[in-house]
Amino acid sequence: PAPPPNIDAPSSILIESRRGQILYEKNSREKLHISAACKIMTTLVTIEKMQGELDSKVTISKESADTEGAALKLEVGEKYSVEDLLYAVMLRSANDAANALAEYVGGDMENFVALMNDKALELNLLDTHFSNPSGLNDETQYTTAYDLSLLIKYAIGNPIFDRIFSTKSRPWANSDGTFDILVNQNNLFWEYEGIDGGKTGFNNNDQHTAITTATRNGQRLICVVLDSPKDSVFVDSEKLLDYGFNNFRSGILVRKGEPLKTIQVGDKEINLVSINDVYYTYPIGDSYIKNYEVKVAENLEPPIKKSVSIGTARYILADDTIIDISLYPDVDINPP
């Protein structure tokens, strides 16, 4: 690929969304501010714990309504749907909505933060720690660009999260009967072709975070820019997305039904095939495959069924990504 772009942000990463291959990174394992990560994890944990029951009503406590950084006119004792509060968290970065959801789902703030950290461990976010659901500045919580990319890759696999994450704007009904419009604060929705997800956040005015996904030609990329100067956070994001789309393609590594090895079982010849198309991302003009090997089960004897894997093809890419493909016989072989 062409030389990577120069960006102002101290930390960033660009990955493809299907397999998580890293296309670009800069200090991506450095522990930095967490504001956007808290909102994303709060949204994800709430969606998973509610199991799709987003019509449930949340009664607003005084503590939530008076939260530092409150962005809504939440009335103590009023009821709001989980779904509406989730949109407020992701589009308006509303700390009051985040805390209200935490109290409702976790019972209290401490229990909910424990759920957040449990999910981080489950996703192998080894350099991430949460201390509150809103992202308010706290020196005991931190994340990295790399961990954020893993979090987003997992989260967009949830259709409800992905729908909220990809929303540009949504009406918000205030308790006094008036309406506001919640607008996604990631400006790339209106500036860059193919944007289909976005979240922003900051703890200090000169350290902004932008998390963006974009899709072109069937290829979805995840871009994370951490602690960038405000004036360049979206410029940096565009540079990285341009770099990804201009220099990499996602395509088929192995086609469904394509024979990868032929073996002999008794007097029968069997082709070993993948039962699915297998995709990977590669620099334009380069196969990107460093090594390839096939392992087959030993001492094979009938019966052999097309539905049972009897081997594995392992591809090692130039970036050391390992792709293991289960191999199946293309015919059934029954005992004599």
Side-chain angles (χ1 to χ4, degrees), residues 63-248:
E63 290 75 17
S64 294
D66 294 341
T67 298
E68 180 184 348
L72 305 167
K73 303 172 184 177
L74 298 182
E75 293 286 340
V76 177
E78 285 288 334
K79 296 181 184 296
Y80 299 82
S81 73
V82 168
E83 184 173 31
D84 284 343
L85 293 173
L86 288 171
Y87 277 100
V89 169
M90 291 294 286
L91 273 64
R92 182 68 68 85
S93 289
N95 291 349
D96 40 358
N99 286 355
L101 289 170
E103 290 177 347
Y104 182 74
V105 174
D108 59 42
M109 221 60 88
E110 184 177 346
N111 285 339
F112 188 81
V113 170
L115 294 176
M116 296 169 71
N117 285 313
D118 287 346
K119 192 67 185 180
L121 286 175
E122 178 189 328
L123 298 180
N124 209 31
L125 310 185
L126 302 180
D127 293 311
T128 296
H129 179 73
F130 297 102
S131 300
N132 63 57
S134 65
L136 277 175
N137 197 26
D138 186 323
E139 292 183 358
T140 65
Q141 61 180 2
Y142 49 82
T143 193
T144 67
Y146 176 73
D147 280 6
L148 258 174
S149 71
L150 295 182
L151 175 58
I152 290 296
K153 177 180 177 294
Y154 171 84
I156 60 177
N158 182 301
I160 297 174
F161 180 95
D162 198 32
R163 168 166 53 85
I164 297 172
F165 183 61
S166 64
T167 298
K168 293 182 179 180
S169 61
R170 179 180 169 92
W172 170 268
N174 296 306
S175 58
D176 61 5
T178 62
F179 284 86
D180 289 326
I181 300 294
L182 305 177
V183 178
N184 197 307
Q185 296 167 321
N186 189 319
N187 294 346
L188 293 183
F189 272 109
W190 295 270
E191 298 176 2
Y192 194 87
E193 180 189 350
I195 297 298
D196 52 13
K199 180 78 186 78
T200 62
F202 66 93
N203 288 110
N204 300 311
N205 201 40
D206 58 344
Q207 294 172 313
H208 282 247
T209 293
I211 299 157
T212 313
T213 63
T215 300
R216 292 183 183 175
N217 299 318
Q219 179 177 233
R220 190 175 190 183
L221 304 183
I222 298 170
C223 177
V224 179
V225 173
L226 270 187
D227 281 6
S228 172
K230 182 178 181 180
D231 291 341
S232 60
V233 66
F234 296 124
V235 175
D236 285 350
S237 299
E238 287 192 25
K239 286 180 179 179
L240 293 180
L241 289 168
D242 280 346
Y243 174 72
F245 287 125
N246 291 338
N247 290 280
F248 295 88

Side-chain angles (χ1 to χ4, degrees), residues 288-307:
Y288 214 45
I289 299 169
K290 183 166 67 175
N291 194 28
Y292 164 70
E293 64 177 353
V294 173
K295 292 184 177 180
V296 181
E298 297 179 352
N299 302 320
L300 289 170
E301 293 181 357
I304 294 175
K305 299 294 183 184
K306 291 194 295 183
S307 58

Side-chain angles (χ1 to χ4, degrees), residues 7 40 325:
I7 62 173
I40 290 166
I325 304 169

